[in-house]
Amino acid sequence: MKKEREILEELKKYRGMDLKYEDGRILGSMCTKPHPISRKILEMFLDTNLGDPGLFPGTKMLEEEVIRMIGEMLHNRNPFGYIISGGTEANITAMRVVKKIGKGRKRDIYILIPETAHFSFEKAREMMDLNYRTIPLDKRYIMDVKYLKDYIEDNRGKIDGIVAIAGSTELGTVDNILEISKIAREHNIYIHVDGAFGGFVIPFLEEKYKLEGYNYNFDFSLDNVFSITVDPHKMGLAPIPAGGIVFRDISFKRYLDVEAPYLTETSQATLLGTRTGIGVAATWAIMKHLGAEGYREIVSQCMENTYYLVKRMKEYSFESVIDPVLNIVAIKDDNPLDTSLKLRERGWYLSTCRCVEALRVVVMPHVKREHIDRFIETLAQCKKR
Ligand code: EBR
């Protein structure tokens, strides 16, 4: 039997091999160092299990309140949803609902998704035998709305759902969900918005977008937006696991419920059964603690650093694929895979895009100006500029 001290020492060795957000070298992640308040919550909620909420009514109340707070952020006074394991589970959950509603029509299920969709939708397709039609992107790298409209008109009555993205993984682009909503309303089609990343960014940029005359509305204020993925464990600063799925109202619960004979409740709606309440409590605490003002400050800092990165790139003639919409920059590169390997050898971790030849930097709160300066110099060395 090993002593506790020895075990902890051994674990420390393994943990020491991991990268640290605070070193500023993780440039490809959408996660970050959780808000410090999380530490105390981890311990307090260590043994909670929302898979059996009758045993943890207090934690369940917190979940309902978190969903109410997120609903409010997304212009919905009457939301229904869960804090679950992440964006993947949230997207799969939304696809379960689209499938269930579509099944009533007694034909194959067809869902339109943009080229920018996250690969979690591919998992949903495999699991549920869904049929996707991929909608190409326009020159702004968002879903081509004209193509979408024509496709729907050519396939009247055959489309069950549209997936729109508010903050694409690769470029941070936001689909024109206002226009998509008009089309969906006309044809009575369900829209699921994947705001896993943008959900905790866009609401705090409203002022900027108003100023610049953009329309990045993506939430429940738009008709036919029936569900939104919004992850606290990304820009919400919550510890993993904390993904979010929010529906327009409780009427969507019946599409998810399965009978659960041996729990304190008679049905269960979430994909996972046993699930921790830590993410719920931490999200509740962080949202209460920061408030909209706190998030606005964090988001605006990230955006300033994003523009700073673009400015520094220009000094070395690096171009960004688009003017950043959110805190993600795609750097044009003729051989992104090779460049990212060279950067990794020098200790910088970032990923590449699939839809365009580019490297991708997510300017999360742990990425500071001094890191950006050092990164740009290393990139310039790699590219001999
Ligand atoms: C990227 C997650 C990521 C996190 C990548 C850490 C690298 C890291 N994206 O080191 C969208 C728009 C996403 C996304 C994840 C998911 C899945 C859904 N939608 O299940 O929480 O960008 O990973 O979210 P997950």
Side-chain angles (χ1 to χ4, degrees), residues 21 26 28-31 85-89 91 118 120-121 165 167-169 194-197 229 231 233-234 360:
Y21 290 110
I26 301 180
S29 176
M30 288 186 153
C31 295
S85 61
T88 300
E89 189 186 344
N91 287 337
H118 184 260
S120 45
F121 290 101
I165 317 292
S168 62
T169 315
D194 183 356
F197 185 75
T229 291
D231 287 351
H233 72 200
K234 295 191 169 73
R360 164 183 168 276

Side-chain angles (χ1 to χ4, degrees), residues 37 45 57 62 83 116 168 223 227 235 313 330 332 367:
I37 205 171
F45 285 81
L62 283 177
I83 297 302
T116 39
S168 62
D223 289 332
S227 53
M235 282 295 287
M313 281 161 52
K332 283 189 195 167
V367 180

